Each structure stands twice: as C-alpha cells, then as structure tokens.
Amino acid sequence: MTKILLIEDIPDNVELVRKALSKTGYEVIHAADAETGLAMALAQIPDLILLDLGLPDYDGQTLAGWLRDEAILDATPIVVLTAWPEEAAKQVVKSYRCNGYISKPILKVNEFITQVNFYLKTP
C-alpha cells in the first residue's frame, strides 16, 4: 500500500486529508510537528510527504531542508501543502528542493486526489 506522511498541525486539515486519501486506498500516517515528522519519515520512508509550512516547533522550510539532507529520502517526493500565496509557495519549492505544492484550503477533494496522484506518478 502506498504510504503518505502528512506533516500538519491543524486537526481539521488532517481529518480532511486522511479521509480523502484513505478512501483512495492510500495509507496516511500523520505527524503534528517537524521533529515528529522527521523521525517518522526516517523510520517509515513514505512514498510521499505532504508538508505544511506553519508548524508549531520548526517551520516547514527548515524541515524540508532537513528531509532533503537525508540521502535515504532522496527519492521521496516532498509536496508543500500550504495556504501561503502562490509565489511564496513556488519560492519555497524551488529553494528547498521540494517537488511541488498544493494550495489550502482543499475545496475540491477530487482535484486534491488528482494532484497527489501526479506527485506519486500514478494514474
């Protein structure tokens, strides 16, 4: 089963992502802060990481840098999941070697699933 690590601190966002992706057949694991997210990524090597930028302990950019410094995660796509303006999100993606971004709030679940599938390179 495809495993997605969601690093997000807002419970409503976690619930929405978990419901949408679980119905699609993905296993969703969750971390509510950067330190836990890093530990889970290294321990479980997910197929995709969805990364919020506004975390309670460290910001998402710092975590993206830590994740990209880990050779074991080189092949793991990191997708920023953010409510930040598009230009700011694009800059984070470029600067921190992420694979792309998905805007919040998630208003169209089917569109969100299509975006996740794209980053996982699945139909």
Side-chain angles (χ1 to χ4, degrees):
M1 179 178 283
T2 301
K3 185 182 305 181
I4 298 174
L5 171 57
L6 172 62
I7 306 172
E8 167 69 63
D9 63 321
I10 307 292
D12 288 345
N13 292 338
V14 173
E15 188 63 23
L16 175 61
V17 169
R18 187 184 305 276
K19 280 183 180 178
L21 295 178
S22 294
K23 286 182 182 178
T24 310
Y26 295 129
E27 177 186 357
V28 179
I29 56 176
H30 170 248
D33 58 58
E35 285 190 13
T36 305
L38 179 61
M40 288 180 76
L42 293 172
Q44 301 202 31
I45 316 297
D47 298 292
L48 175 73
I49 297 171
L50 294 175
L51 174 60
D52 180 29
L53 295 178
L55 298 169
D57 53 353
Y58 295 93
D59 60 59
Q61 300 96 299
T62 299
L63 179 53
W66 292 344
L67 291 166
R68 282 299 176 227
D69 285 344
E70 298 292 341
I72 197 166
L73 296 173
D74 280 349
T76 304
I78 300 173
V79 177
V80 172
L81 186 61
T82 185
W84 287 17
E86 182 177 4
E87 284 308 311
K90 285 181 180 179
Q91 188 58 46
V92 169
V93 166
K94 181 179 177 184
S95 297
Y96 294 90
R97 298 175 287 143
C98 296
N99 297 77
Y101 73 94
I102 297 173
S103 295
K104 291 190 296 188
I106 297 166
L107 301 174
K108 298 178 181 176
V109 173
N110 288 339
E111 185 177 304
F112 170 68
I113 292 167
T114 299
Q115 290 172 305
V116 168
N117 288 340
F118 171 78
Y119 292 111
L120 285 167
K121 308 292 190 249
T122 60

PDB file of all heavy atoms in Angstrom, residues 13-47:
ATOM      1  N   ASN A  13      -7.598  19.912   8.991  1.00  0.00           N
ATOM      2  CA  ASN A  13      -6.876  19.611   7.752  1.00  0.00           C
ATOM      3  C   ASN A  13      -6.419  18.158   7.733  1.00  0.00           C
ATOM      4  O   ASN A  13      -6.493  17.483   6.704  1.00  0.00           O
ATOM      5  CB  ASN A  13      -5.663  20.533   7.590  1.00  0.00           C
ATOM      6  CG  ASN A  13      -6.054  21.972   7.348  1.00  0.00           C
ATOM      7  OD1 ASN A  13      -7.163  22.254   6.911  1.00  0.00           O
ATOM      8  ND2 ASN A  13      -5.143  22.877   7.639  1.00  0.00           N
ATOM      9  N   VAL A  14      -5.956  17.675   8.875  1.00  0.00           N
ATOM     10  CA  VAL A  14      -5.523  16.277   8.981  1.00  0.00           C
ATOM     11  C   VAL A  14      -6.690  15.354   8.661  1.00  0.00           C
ATOM     12  O   VAL A  14      -6.548  14.407   7.866  1.00  0.00           O
ATOM     13  CB  VAL A  14      -4.965  15.971  10.393  1.00  0.00           C
ATOM     14  CG1 VAL A  14      -4.681  14.482  10.556  1.00  0.00           C
ATOM     15  CG2 VAL A  14      -3.722  16.805  10.676  1.00  0.00           C
ATOM     16  N   GLU A  15      -7.832  15.621   9.241  1.00  0.00           N
ATOM     17  CA  GLU A  15      -9.007  14.768   9.046  1.00  0.00           C
ATOM     18  C   GLU A  15      -9.447  14.757   7.586  1.00  0.00           C
ATOM     19  O   GLU A  15      -9.754  13.693   7.030  1.00  0.00           O
ATOM     20  CB  GLU A  15     -10.155  15.238   9.948  1.00  0.00           C
ATOM     21  CG  GLU A  15     -11.337  14.313   9.961  1.00  0.00           C
ATOM     22  CD  GLU A  15     -11.037  12.928  10.527  1.00  0.00           C
ATOM     23  OE1 GLU A  15     -10.075  12.769  11.300  1.00  0.00           O
ATOM     24  OE2 GLU A  15     -11.766  11.987  10.161  1.00  0.00           O
ATOM     25  N   LEU A  16      -9.467  15.920   6.944  1.00  0.00           N
ATOM     26  CA  LEU A  16      -9.875  16.002   5.543  1.00  0.00           C
ATOM     27  C   LEU A  16      -8.917  15.217   4.647  1.00  0.00           C
ATOM     28  O   LEU A  16      -9.340  14.419   3.810  1.00  0.00           O
ATOM     29  CB  LEU A  16      -9.937  17.462   5.089  1.00  0.00           C
ATOM     30  CG  LEU A  16     -10.245  17.685   3.605  1.00  0.00           C
ATOM     31  CD1 LEU A  16     -11.596  17.107   3.224  1.00  0.00           C
ATOM     32  CD2 LEU A  16     -10.172  19.160   3.265  1.00  0.00           C
ATOM     33  N   VAL A  17      -7.621  15.424   4.829  1.00  0.00           N
ATOM     34  CA  VAL A  17      -6.626  14.728   4.010  1.00  0.00           C
ATOM     35  C   VAL A  17      -6.698  13.228   4.264  1.00  0.00           C
ATOM     36  O   VAL A  17      -6.685  12.425   3.328  1.00  0.00           O
ATOM     37  CB  VAL A  17      -5.210  15.280   4.280  1.00  0.00           C
ATOM     38  CG1 VAL A  17      -4.142  14.403   3.643  1.00  0.00           C
ATOM     39  CG2 VAL A  17      -5.095  16.716   3.772  1.00  0.00           C
ATOM     40  N   ARG A  18      -6.787  12.845   5.517  1.00  0.00           N
ATOM     41  CA  ARG A  18      -6.847  11.416   5.859  1.00  0.00           C
ATOM     42  C   ARG A  18      -8.071  10.754   5.214  1.00  0.00           C
ATOM     43  O   ARG A  18      -7.959   9.694   4.603  1.00  0.00           O
ATOM     44  CB  ARG A  18      -6.878  11.236   7.372  1.00  0.00           C
ATOM     45  CG  ARG A  18      -6.772   9.774   7.808  1.00  0.00           C
ATOM     46  CD  ARG A  18      -6.897   9.591   9.308  1.00  0.00           C
ATOM     47  NE  ARG A  18      -5.968  10.354  10.103  1.00  0.00           N
ATOM     48  CZ  ARG A  18      -4.718   9.979  10.389  1.00  0.00           C
ATOM     49  NH1 ARG A  18      -4.249   8.848   9.906  1.00  0.00           N
ATOM     50  NH2 ARG A  18      -3.954  10.726  11.155  1.00  0.00           N
ATOM     51  N   LYS A  19      -9.234  11.373   5.328  1.00  0.00           N
ATOM     52  CA  LYS A  19     -10.452  10.799   4.743  1.00  0.00           C
ATOM     53  C   LYS A  19     -10.334  10.686   3.228  1.00  0.00           C
ATOM     54  O   LYS A  19     -10.648   9.642   2.644  1.00  0.00           O
ATOM     55  CB  LYS A  19     -11.675  11.642   5.107  1.00  0.00           C
ATOM     56  CG  LYS A  19     -12.205  11.394   6.489  1.00  0.00           C
ATOM     57  CD  LYS A  19     -13.459  12.207   6.740  1.00  0.00           C
ATOM     58  CE  LYS A  19     -13.993  11.957   8.130  1.00  0.00           C
ATOM     59  NZ  LYS A  19     -15.175  12.778   8.411  1.00  0.00           N
ATOM     60  N   ALA A  20      -9.880  11.757   2.582  1.00  0.00           N
ATOM     61  CA  ALA A  20      -9.789  11.768   1.118  1.00  0.00           C
ATOM     62  C   ALA A  20      -8.816  10.712   0.616  1.00  0.00           C
ATOM     63  O   ALA A  20      -9.128   9.968  -0.323  1.00  0.00           O
ATOM     64  CB  ALA A  20      -9.370  13.157   0.629  1.00  0.00           C
ATOM     65  N   LEU A  21      -7.654  10.644   1.219  1.00  0.00           N
ATOM     66  CA  LEU A  21      -6.631   9.732   0.720  1.00  0.00           C
ATOM     67  C   LEU A  21      -6.870   8.285   1.146  1.00  0.00           C
ATOM     68  O   LEU A  21      -6.540   7.361   0.408  1.00  0.00           O
ATOM     69  CB  LEU A  21      -5.245  10.210   1.149  1.00  0.00           C
ATOM     70  CG  LEU A  21      -4.831  11.561   0.547  1.00  0.00           C
ATOM     71  CD1 LEU A  21      -3.467  11.974   1.054  1.00  0.00           C
ATOM     72  CD2 LEU A  21      -4.879  11.534  -0.972  1.00  0.00           C
ATOM     73  N   SER A  22      -7.444   8.073   2.314  1.00  0.00           N
ATOM     74  CA  SER A  22      -7.752   6.707   2.752  1.00  0.00           C
ATOM     75  C   SER A  22      -8.805   6.070   1.848  1.00  0.00           C
ATOM     76  O   SER A  22      -8.709   4.890   1.503  1.00  0.00           O
ATOM     77  CB  SER A  22      -8.232   6.702   4.196  1.00  0.00           C
ATOM     78  OG  SER A  22      -7.193   7.108   5.051  1.00  0.00           O
ATOM     79  N   LYS A  23      -9.799   6.860   1.436  1.00  0.00           N
ATOM     80  CA  LYS A  23     -10.829   6.349   0.525  1.00  0.00           C
ATOM     81  C   LYS A  23     -10.235   5.970  -0.823  1.00  0.00           C
ATOM     82  O   LYS A  23     -10.794   5.153  -1.544  1.00  0.00           O
ATOM     83  CB  LYS A  23     -11.935   7.392   0.329  1.00  0.00           C
ATOM     84  CG  LYS A  23     -12.855   7.534   1.506  1.00  0.00           C
ATOM     85  CD  LYS A  23     -13.942   8.549   1.218  1.00  0.00           C
ATOM     86  CE  LYS A  23     -14.832   8.726   2.427  1.00  0.00           C
ATOM     87  NZ  LYS A  23     -15.876   9.743   2.207  1.00  0.00           N
ATOM     88  N   THR A  24      -9.108   6.582  -1.163  1.00  0.00           N
ATOM     89  CA  THR A  24      -8.446   6.318  -2.440  1.00  0.00           C
ATOM     90  C   THR A  24      -7.520   5.111  -2.339  1.00  0.00           C
ATOM     91  O   THR A  24      -6.956   4.662  -3.327  1.00  0.00           O
ATOM     92  CB  THR A  24      -7.651   7.577  -2.877  1.00  0.00           C
ATOM     93  OG1 THR A  24      -8.523   8.711  -2.801  1.00  0.00           O
ATOM     94  CG2 THR A  24      -7.161   7.476  -4.296  1.00  0.00           C
ATOM     95  N   GLY A  25      -7.352   4.583  -1.127  1.00  0.00           N
ATOM     96  CA  GLY A  25      -6.534   3.397  -0.950  1.00  0.00           C
ATOM     97  C   GLY A  25      -5.124   3.676  -0.445  1.00  0.00           C
ATOM     98  O   GLY A  25      -4.299   2.765  -0.387  1.00  0.00           O
ATOM     99  N   TYR A  26      -4.859   4.902  -0.072  1.00  0.00           N
ATOM    100  CA  TYR A  26      -3.538   5.245   0.462  1.00  0.00           C
ATOM    101  C   TYR A  26      -3.531   5.082   1.980  1.00  0.00           C
ATOM    102  O   TYR A  26      -4.532   5.325   2.648  1.00  0.00           O
ATOM    103  CB  TYR A  26      -3.159   6.691   0.125  1.00  0.00           C
ATOM    104  CG  TYR A  26      -2.994   6.943  -1.351  1.00  0.00           C
ATOM    105  CD1 TYR A  26      -3.646   8.004  -1.954  1.00  0.00           C
ATOM    106  CD2 TYR A  26      -2.180   6.143  -2.133  1.00  0.00           C
ATOM    107  CE1 TYR A  26      -3.494   8.255  -3.314  1.00  0.00           C
ATOM    108  CE2 TYR A  26      -2.026   6.379  -3.488  1.00  0.00           C
ATOM    109  CZ  TYR A  26      -2.684   7.444  -4.071  1.00  0.00           C
ATOM    110  OH  TYR A  26      -2.529   7.681  -5.406  1.00  0.00           O
ATOM    111  N   GLU A  27      -2.383   4.704   2.501  1.00  0.00           N
ATOM    112  CA  GLU A  27      -2.172   4.691   3.947  1.00  0.00           C
ATOM    113  C   GLU A  27      -1.642   6.064   4.330  1.00  0.00           C
ATOM    114  O   GLU A  27      -0.629   6.514   3.797  1.00  0.00           O
ATOM    115  CB  GLU A  27      -1.158   3.624   4.339  1.00  0.00           C
ATOM    116  CG  GLU A  27      -0.840   3.618   5.825  1.00  0.00           C
ATOM    117  CD  GLU A  27       0.269   2.647   6.184  1.00  0.00           C
ATOM    118  OE1 GLU A  27       0.774   1.919   5.311  1.00  0.00           O
ATOM    119  OE2 GLU A  27       0.638   2.636   7.371  1.00  0.00           O
ATOM    120  N   VAL A  28      -2.317   6.735   5.244  1.00  0.00           N
ATOM    121  CA  VAL A  28      -1.894   8.069   5.675  1.00  0.00           C
ATOM    122  C   VAL A  28      -1.375   7.968   7.101  1.00  0.00           C
ATOM    123  O   VAL A  28      -2.078   7.526   8.004  1.00  0.00           O
ATOM    124  CB  VAL A  28      -3.054   9.086   5.609  1.00  0.00           C
ATOM    125  CG1 VAL A  28      -2.602  10.459   6.095  1.00  0.00           C
ATOM    126  CG2 VAL A  28      -3.605   9.172   4.186  1.00  0.00           C
ATOM    127  N   ILE A  29      -0.114   8.378   7.266  1.00  0.00           N
ATOM    128  CA  ILE A  29       0.457   8.483   8.601  1.00  0.00           C
ATOM    129  C   ILE A  29       0.621   9.966   8.883  1.00  0.00           C
ATOM    130  O   ILE A  29       0.776  10.770   7.959  1.00  0.00           O
ATOM    131  CB  ILE A  29       1.786   7.691   8.729  1.00  0.00           C
ATOM    132  CG1 ILE A  29       2.798   8.133   7.684  1.00  0.00           C
ATOM    133  CG2 ILE A  29       1.501   6.202   8.627  1.00  0.00           C
ATOM    134  CD1 ILE A  29       4.165   7.458   7.818  1.00  0.00           C
ATOM    135  N   HIS A  30       0.582  10.341  10.150  1.00  0.00           N
ATOM    136  CA  HIS A  30       0.499  11.757  10.482  1.00  0.00           C
ATOM    137  C   HIS A  30       1.488  12.153  11.565  1.00  0.00           C
ATOM    138  O   HIS A  30       1.690  11.436  12.542  1.00  0.00           O
ATOM    139  CB  HIS A  30      -0.938  12.075  10.943  1.00  0.00           C
ATOM    140  CG  HIS A  30      -1.060  13.435  11.536  1.00  0.00           C
ATOM    141  ND1 HIS A  30      -1.319  13.639  12.865  1.00  0.00           N
ATOM    142  CD2 HIS A  30      -0.926  14.660  10.990  1.00  0.00           C
ATOM    143  CE1 HIS A  30      -1.355  14.942  13.101  1.00  0.00           C
ATOM    144  NE2 HIS A  30      -1.112  15.581  11.988  1.00  0.00           N
ATOM    145  N   ALA A  31       2.073  13.325  11.375  1.00  0.00           N
ATOM    146  CA  ALA A  31       2.896  13.966  12.400  1.00  0.00           C
ATOM    147  C   ALA A  31       2.399  15.397  12.557  1.00  0.00           C
ATOM    148  O   ALA A  31       2.148  16.081  11.566  1.00  0.00           O
ATOM    149  CB  ALA A  31       4.367  13.960  11.981  1.00  0.00           C
ATOM    150  N   ALA A  32       2.283  15.844  13.806  1.00  0.00           N
ATOM    151  CA  ALA A  32       1.747  17.176  14.078  1.00  0.00           C
ATOM    152  C   ALA A  32       2.826  18.250  14.220  1.00  0.00           C
ATOM    153  O   ALA A  32       2.508  19.423  14.380  1.00  0.00           O
ATOM    154  CB  ALA A  32       0.886  17.150  15.339  1.00  0.00           C
ATOM    155  N   ASP A  33       4.095  17.845  14.164  1.00  0.00           N
ATOM    156  CA  ASP A  33       5.174  18.831  14.269  1.00  0.00           C
ATOM    157  C   ASP A  33       6.385  18.346  13.478  1.00  0.00           C
ATOM    158  O   ASP A  33       6.434  17.210  13.019  1.00  0.00           O
ATOM    159  CB  ASP A  33       5.534  19.100  15.736  1.00  0.00           C
ATOM    160  CG  ASP A  33       5.963  17.848  16.476  1.00  0.00           C
ATOM    161  OD1 ASP A  33       6.937  17.200  16.035  1.00  0.00           O
ATOM    162  OD2 ASP A  33       5.327  17.508  17.498  1.00  0.00           O
ATOM    163  N   ALA A  34       7.365  19.231  13.338  1.00  0.00           N
ATOM    164  CA  ALA A  34       8.531  18.953  12.491  1.00  0.00           C
ATOM    165  C   ALA A  34       9.392  17.816  13.037  1.00  0.00           C
ATOM    166  O   ALA A  34       9.815  16.945  12.274  1.00  0.00           O
ATOM    167  CB  ALA A  34       9.360  20.227  12.320  1.00  0.00           C
ATOM    168  N   GLU A  35       9.675  17.834  14.319  1.00  0.00           N
ATOM    169  CA  GLU A  35      10.543  16.794  14.886  1.00  0.00           C
ATOM    170  C   GLU A  35       9.939  15.403  14.715  1.00  0.00           C
ATOM    171  O   GLU A  35      10.627  14.462  14.331  1.00  0.00           O
ATOM    172  CB  GLU A  35      10.846  17.079  16.359  1.00  0.00           C
ATOM    173  CG  GLU A  35      11.840  18.201  16.534  1.00  0.00           C
ATOM    174  CD  GLU A  35      12.324  18.340  17.974  1.00  0.00           C
ATOM    175  OE1 GLU A  35      12.092  17.431  18.794  1.00  0.00           O
ATOM    176  OE2 GLU A  35      12.948  19.370  18.255  1.00  0.00           O
ATOM    177  N   THR A  36       8.651  15.284  14.994  1.00  0.00           N
ATOM    178  CA  THR A  36       7.976  14.003  14.823  1.00  0.00           C
ATOM    179  C   THR A  36       7.942  13.618  13.348  1.00  0.00           C
ATOM    180  O   THR A  36       8.149  12.455  12.995  1.00  0.00           O
ATOM    181  CB  THR A  36       6.547  14.059  15.397  1.00  0.00           C
ATOM    182  OG1 THR A  36       6.609  14.488  16.760  1.00  0.00           O
ATOM    183  CG2 THR A  36       5.855  12.711  15.310  1.00  0.00           C
ATOM    184  N   GLY A  37       7.708  14.594  12.492  1.00  0.00           N
ATOM    185  CA  GLY A  37       7.681  14.339  11.055  1.00  0.00           C
ATOM    186  C   GLY A  37       9.009  13.812  10.539  1.00  0.00           C
ATOM    187  O   GLY A  37       9.045  12.858   9.753  1.00  0.00           O
ATOM    188  N   LEU A  38      10.102  14.416  10.972  1.00  0.00           N
ATOM    189  CA  LEU A  38      11.426  13.952  10.553  1.00  0.00           C
ATOM    190  C   LEU A  38      11.663  12.524  11.031  1.00  0.00           C
ATOM    191  O   LEU A  38      12.101  11.661  10.259  1.00  0.00           O
ATOM    192  CB  LEU A  38      12.515  14.884  11.084  1.00  0.00           C
ATOM    193  CG  LEU A  38      13.953  14.490  10.738  1.00  0.00           C
ATOM    194  CD1 LEU A  38      14.178  14.459   9.233  1.00  0.00           C
ATOM    195  CD2 LEU A  38      14.937  15.445  11.414  1.00  0.00           C
ATOM    196  N   ALA A  39      11.352  12.258  12.279  1.00  0.00           N
ATOM    197  CA  ALA A  39      11.548  10.918  12.838  1.00  0.00           C
ATOM    198  C   ALA A  39      10.709   9.886  12.086  1.00  0.00           C
ATOM    199  O   ALA A  39      11.192   8.793  11.757  1.00  0.00           O
ATOM    200  CB  ALA A  39      11.201  10.906  14.330  1.00  0.00           C
ATOM    201  N   MET A  40       9.452  10.213  11.797  1.00  0.00           N
ATOM    202  CA  MET A  40       8.578   9.273  11.095  1.00  0.00           C
ATOM    203  C   MET A  40       9.059   9.049   9.663  1.00  0.00           C
ATOM    204  O   MET A  40       9.014   7.923   9.158  1.00  0.00           O
ATOM    205  CB  MET A  40       7.133   9.777  11.110  1.00  0.00           C
ATOM    206  CG  MET A  40       6.483   9.683  12.469  1.00  0.00           C
ATOM    207  SD  MET A  40       4.778  10.286  12.467  1.00  0.00           S
ATOM    208  CE  MET A  40       3.954   8.900  11.685  1.00  0.00           C
ATOM    209  N   ALA A  41       9.502  10.113   8.995  1.00  0.00           N
ATOM    210  CA  ALA A  41       9.993   9.977   7.623  1.00  0.00           C
ATOM    211  C   ALA A  41      11.192   9.040   7.566  1.00  0.00           C
ATOM    212  O   ALA A  41      11.278   8.185   6.684  1.00  0.00           O
ATOM    213  CB  ALA A  41      10.360  11.350   7.053  1.00  0.00           C
ATOM    214  N   LEU A  42      12.102   9.187   8.519  1.00  0.00           N
ATOM    215  CA  LEU A  42      13.294   8.340   8.538  1.00  0.00           C
ATOM    216  C   LEU A  42      12.972   6.902   8.927  1.00  0.00           C
ATOM    217  O   LEU A  42      13.574   5.965   8.417  1.00  0.00           O
ATOM    218  CB  LEU A  42      14.337   8.930   9.486  1.00  0.00           C
ATOM    219  CG  LEU A  42      14.936  10.263   9.036  1.00  0.00           C
ATOM    220  CD1 LEU A  42      15.798  10.848  10.138  1.00  0.00           C
ATOM    221  CD2 LEU A  42      15.722  10.096   7.746  1.00  0.00           C
ATOM    222  N   ALA A  43      12.019   6.713   9.814  1.00  0.00           N
ATOM    223  CA  ALA A  43      11.672   5.375  10.279  1.00  0.00           C
ATOM    224  C   ALA A  43      10.815   4.606   9.272  1.00  0.00           C
ATOM    225  O   ALA A  43      10.949   3.394   9.144  1.00  0.00           O
ATOM    226  CB  ALA A  43      10.942   5.456  11.622  1.00  0.00           C
ATOM    227  N   GLN A  44       9.935   5.319   8.569  1.00  0.00           N
ATOM    228  CA  GLN A  44       8.950   4.626   7.732  1.00  0.00           C
ATOM    229  C   GLN A  44       9.154   4.812   6.230  1.00  0.00           C
ATOM    230  O   GLN A  44       8.500   4.138   5.441  1.00  0.00           O
ATOM    231  CB  GLN A  44       7.542   5.070   8.133  1.00  0.00           C
ATOM    232  CG  GLN A  44       7.281   4.765   9.602  1.00  0.00           C
ATOM    233  CD  GLN A  44       5.815   4.686   9.919  1.00  0.00           C
ATOM    234  OE1 GLN A  44       5.003   4.302   9.086  1.00  0.00           O
ATOM    235  NE2 GLN A  44       5.462   5.044  11.132  1.00  0.00           N
ATOM    236  N   ILE A  45      10.008   5.711   5.815  1.00  0.00           N
ATOM    237  CA  ILE A  45      10.299   6.000   4.406  1.00  0.00           C
ATOM    238  C   ILE A  45       8.995   6.003   3.573  1.00  0.00           C
ATOM    239  O   ILE A  45       8.708   5.050   2.828  1.00  0.00           O
ATOM    240  CB  ILE A  45      11.319   5.009   3.789  1.00  0.00           C
ATOM    241  CG1 ILE A  45      12.484   4.754   4.727  1.00  0.00           C
ATOM    242  CG2 ILE A  45      11.766   5.514   2.413  1.00  0.00           C
ATOM    243  CD1 ILE A  45      13.338   5.963   5.037  1.00  0.00           C
ATOM    244  N   PRO A  46       8.224   7.073   3.696  1.00  0.00           N
ATOM    245  CA  PRO A  46       6.956   7.131   2.962  1.00  0.00           C
ATOM    246  C   PRO A  46       7.178   7.288   1.455  1.00  0.00           C
ATOM    247  O   PRO A  46       8.262   7.654   1.005  1.00  0.00           O
ATOM    248  CB  PRO A  46       6.285   8.375   3.543  1.00  0.00           C
ATOM    249  CG  PRO A  46       7.417   9.236   3.985  1.00  0.00           C
ATOM    250  CD  PRO A  46       8.484   8.279   4.468  1.00  0.00           C
ATOM    251  N   ASP A  47       6.117   7.035   0.704  1.00  0.00           N
ATOM    252  CA  ASP A  47       6.160   7.201  -0.750  1.00  0.00           C
ATOM    253  C   ASP A  47       5.990   8.669  -1.145  1.00  0.00           C
ATOM    254  O   ASP A  47       6.361   9.066  -2.254  1.00  0.00           O
ATOM    255  CB  ASP A  47       5.060   6.358  -1.399  1.00  0.00           C
ATOM    256  CG  ASP A  47       5.272   4.880  -1.120  1.00  0.00           C
ATOM    257  OD1 ASP A  47       6.253   4.321  -1.643  1.00  0.00           O
ATOM    258  OD2 ASP A  47       4.477   4.296  -0.354  1.00  0.00           O
TER     259      ASP A  47
END
